[in-house]
Amino acid sequence: MEHEDQEAQKPLLATAAGSSGGGRRGDASAASSSSIAVVVTSTAVAVAGSFEFGISVGYSSPSQPGIMRDLNLSLAEYSVFGSILTIGAMLGAIVSGTVADRVGRRSAMAISDLLCILGYLLITFSQNSWWLDIGRLSTGCGIGLLSYVVPVYISEITPKNLRGGFATVNQFMICCGASLAYVLGTFITWRTLAIIGVAPCLLQLVGLLVIPESPRWLARFGHLGEFEAALQKLRGKGNDICDEAAEIKDFTEKFQHLPKSKMLDLFQKDYIHAVTVGVGLMVLQQFGGVNAICFYASEIFVSAGFSSGSTGMLAMVAVQIPMTGLGVLLMDKSGRRPLLMVSAAGTCLGCLLVGFSFLAKEGHWGKDLNIWLALTGILIFGGSFSLGMGGIPWVIMSEIFPINMKGAAGSLVTLVSWLGSWIVSYAFNFLLVWNSYGTFFIFATICGLTVVFVERLVPETKGRTLEEIQASMSSSLTSPFHK
């Protein structure tokens, strides 16, 4: 840990060898500023996809009354429209790693943009449920691909001292996109909202023309000239990239004698720790109840005794955005593990309070007690989840898998996340009918287990290069990176 802290305190970008004197220091400072500008710009283009992700997730809730009225849909037909996004996302997740490996990170984002644009255009001009559902399915495929490639691209281009914070911007923009969809959906028609959903895709498509490809992907597939040019652009023209380039090249060469990326290869001894961490975090994230609370927050407030769910929903949005921003700021200072454990403990407390609110309602414990317990519990859950559990599992997923297995591993982890999302979303209403307070006590138990899981199995990745992280988790790649 002392070594990691010392590494984290080093300058973000090493200046060129032999640089000294005021003029050269000025040149190095200008180069560093130029480099940070390129990393910020590249990250901004990537997270336009995250914003699209958020709009797509938030689209169905405010659009429900208008779509059902204009297209004469039954509740069952609209439920198909709402849930088919998750089915599309699972399809996108299955191929996400393969697509991102074969065509590159930028091209994978472009493909996802085209799928989302097609989907929203079909929704905008739909006159029946078939076109509506096909459009939603296409959008789902797009965001399933985006959910993998965006955090991976960001982690592969950023300096180690900034990687965590930059990668967490992914979750922040998802939160902002969903919040915007909730707010705009109360003022504009569902067709207009669908047209707005196209805008982030168009912005990203334009931005992809100017940002560099991931240097690590270029090195992995033998584009060494482009690799050095992309890395130099990201680190600044006046900065020495020799050490970082050599480390990436040396680490990549180790994979020439290792098996190609196949799903079954993930369960070999060298990768089982990383798979356990990546899949485990996604399972615990989803089965901790996040989608049940996010998708059905309004219904939960009403069931707990509120006259309307809108007040609680607005309060939840107001808490989530600043807490996600706080997580971005703390990521590279406190580290991943402490934030994850605090976040999981907070979600556990939130679920317990919501569970007690339903228990108070059934037991008639006191006037309005159940309402305040539900509001407090959901706000604590939403804020705590946004602080760490929402974004950090995706950050860690993008860090722990070596480049030769990242495609297969990313597809598996992303698929598990979307499958868990669908299972919880589908089963939640049935669980609520079975036992309302018991359901949230189950969620609380899973959140509590998350704290133990993180403490025992999840490595701290703050202030370490991707090569150091991956080597420390794989015995065959230990030397010379494991420290």
Side-chain angles (χ1 to χ4, degrees):
M1 291 299 295
E2 182 179 352
H3 168 74
E4 292 170 10
D5 290 340
Q6 291 172 350
E7 288 291 319
Q9 291 169 6
K10 288 182 180 180
L12 297 178
L13 299 164
T15 56
S19 293
S20 61
R24 293 189 178 183
R25 280 196 295 270
D27 293 341
S29 177
S32 179
S33 299
S34 173
S35 166
I36 295 300
V38 173
V39 174
V40 169
T41 301
S42 301
T43 301
V45 171
V47 297
S50 308
F51 195 73
E52 174 65 22
F53 185 156
I55 289 177
S56 300
V57 171
Y59 178 83
S60 60
S61 180
S63 301
Q64 181 172 351
I67 291 178
M68 291 181 66
R69 180 186 64 249
D70 294 347
L71 300 184
N72 296 315
L73 299 187
S74 66
L75 182 60
E77 288 174 321
Y78 190 82
S79 296
V80 171
F81 169 74
S83 61
I84 205 170
L85 180 80
T86 309
I87 304 300
M90 284 191 278
L91 295 175
I94 291 171
V95 300
S96 60
T98 301
V99 171
D101 276 355
R102 289 190 177 180
V103 303
R105 310 322 191 200
R106 292 190 308 170
S107 296
M109 285 188 273
I111 291 170
S112 67
D113 288 332
L114 295 176
L115 288 169
C116 289
I117 289 172
L118 173 63
Y120 274 116
L121 289 177
L122 287 172
I123 292 172
T124 301
F125 298 106
S126 62
Q127 299 299 321
N128 55 59
S129 61
W130 282 102
W131 290 111
L132 202 67
D133 292 343
I134 293 171
R136 187 72 165 164
L137 183 69
S138 178
T139 303
C141 290
I143 67 171
L145 184 52
L146 280 170
S147 62
Y148 165 74
V149 73
V150 171
V152 166
Y153 175 77
I154 295 172
S155 74
E156 290 179 349
I157 66 168
T158 47
K160 62 184 180 181
N161 306 67
L162 298 174
R163 188 178 61 242
F166 272 61
T168 315
V169 175
N170 172 52
Q171 180 66 23
F172 180 75
M173 294 304 290
I174 292 173
C175 186
C176 289
S179 300
L180 181 67
Y182 285 136
V183 174
L184 289 181
T186 62
F187 300 107
I188 62 178
T189 67
W190 59 275
R191 294 187 192 274
T192 304
L193 186 59
I195 293 173
I196 290 174
V198 174
C201 301
L202 295 176
L203 289 173
Q204 187 173 60
L205 282 173
V206 174
L208 289 172
L209 298 174
V210 298
I211 65 173
E213 179 57 88
S214 161
R216 286 175 170 87
W217 181 84
L218 291 169
R220 170 72 178 94
F221 290 95
H223 307 292
L224 296 182
E226 296 176 57
F227 154 68
E228 292 184 357
L231 188 61
Q232 189 71 71
K233 185 176 181 180
L234 287 163
R235 299 297 178 259
K237 291 183 179 180
N239 291 301
D240 183 7
I241 62 168
C242 292
D243 290 344
E244 185 176 5
E247 183 178 18
I248 294 172
K249 285 179 183 177
D250 290 345
F251 197 73
T252 301
E253 286 175 3
K254 289 179 175 288
F255 297 117
Q256 301 305 317
H257 306 292
L258 294 177
K260 292 183 179 180
S261 177
K262 296 179 182 178
M263 197 68 73
L264 290 178
D265 293 331
L266 289 172
F267 301 97
Q268 295 177 2
K269 181 181 178 182
D270 282 335
Y271 310 114
I272 196 64
H273 182 197
V275 170
T276 301
V277 171
V279 172
L281 283 175
M282 291 302 177
V283 169
L284 292 167
Q285 180 196 62
Q286 295 300 330
F287 285 88
V290 58
N291 281 317
I293 288 181
C294 289
F295 291 173
Y296 299 102
S298 180
E299 181 182 332
I300 292 169
F301 283 123
V302 173
S303 299
F306 279 79
S307 58
S308 169
S310 59
T311 302
M313 285 292 294
L314 291 174
M316 189 170 70
V317 168
V319 167
Q320 284 181 326
I321 292 179
M323 289 300 289
T324 305
L326 179 62
V328 171
L329 296 175
L330 292 177
M331 179 71 69
D332 288 310
K333 295 182 178 180
S334 65
R336 282 54 153 170
R337 280 165 47 89
L339 269 184
L340 270 177
M341 288 190 281
V342 170
S343 175
T347 57
C348 178
L349 175 60
C351 285
L352 284 174
L353 292 176
V354 175
F356 280 122
S357 77
F358 281 101
L359 193 59
K361 183 181 179 182
E362 289 189 17
H364 305 287
W365 289 357
K367 185 178 180 181
D368 295 334
L369 175 62
N370 56 301
I371 295 176
W372 289 109
L373 283 172
L375 180 61
T376 304
I378 287 182
L379 293 183
I380 290 176
F381 182 96
S384 299
F385 184 85
S386 299
L387 181 66
M389 281 301 295
I392 296 179
W394 292 101
V395 174
I396 291 177
M397 179 276 292
S398 69
E399 294 175 325
I400 60 176
F401 295 110
I403 193 73
N404 70 316
M405 301 305 295
K406 190 168 281 188
S411 293
L412 175 63
V413 170
T414 308
L415 176 61
V416 166
S417 176
W418 283 107
L419 180 61
S421 172
W422 177 78
I423 291 172
V424 173
S425 302
Y426 179 79
F428 178 68
N429 279 329
F430 298 104
L431 289 170
L432 211 57
V433 171
W434 163 70
N435 189 319
S436 57
Y437 59 85
T439 298
F440 286 95
F441 289 157
I442 291 173
F443 289 153
T445 301
I446 294 172
C447 292
L449 290 173
T450 304
V451 179
V452 179
F453 180 86
V454 172
E455 196 277 329
R456 295 294 178 89
L457 291 175
V458 177
E460 180 55 73
T461 59
K462 180 189 76 168
R464 304 166 72 188
T465 66
L466 296 182
E467 288 69 34
E468 289 171 347
I469 296 164
Q470 293 153 16
S472 71
M473 302 185 75
S474 175
S475 58
S476 67
L477 301 173
T478 298
S479 179
F481 302 103
H482 185 40
K483 298 177 181 181

